[in-house]
Amino acid sequence: MAKKSVGTIQTGAKRLTKAIKMVKSPKTGAYTFVEAIMAPENVNDFLKKK
């Protein structure tokens, strides 16, 4: 499973990170991308869970 974290977004006083994860569909076998914007501390947890 490929995964990567892309850039940081700053809005006011909050610092956010956009994480993109490539997930394989169990039905078709095709890959889809799951994106989420979160605090930098939560990125590793997001990338580790399936």
Side-chain angles (χ1 to χ4, degrees):
M1 177 186 334
K3 53 189 172 186
K4 64 180 178 177
S5 177
V6 177
T8 50
I9 303 164
Q10 292 185 356
T11 56
K14 288 191 174 184
R15 198 170 145 232
L16 301 173
T17 300
K18 181 177 182 180
I20 302 172
K21 178 169 54 170
M22 195 165 81
V23 179
K24 187 173 183 177
S25 171
K27 288 184 180 179
T28 63
Y31 285 94
T32 59
F33 293 94
V34 178
E35 298 182 19
I37 296 176
M38 65 195 74
E41 301 83 34
N42 301 334
V43 172
N44 286 335
D45 294 335
F46 171 74
L47 294 175
K48 285 182 185 176
K49 69 180 178 179
K50 290 186 175 186

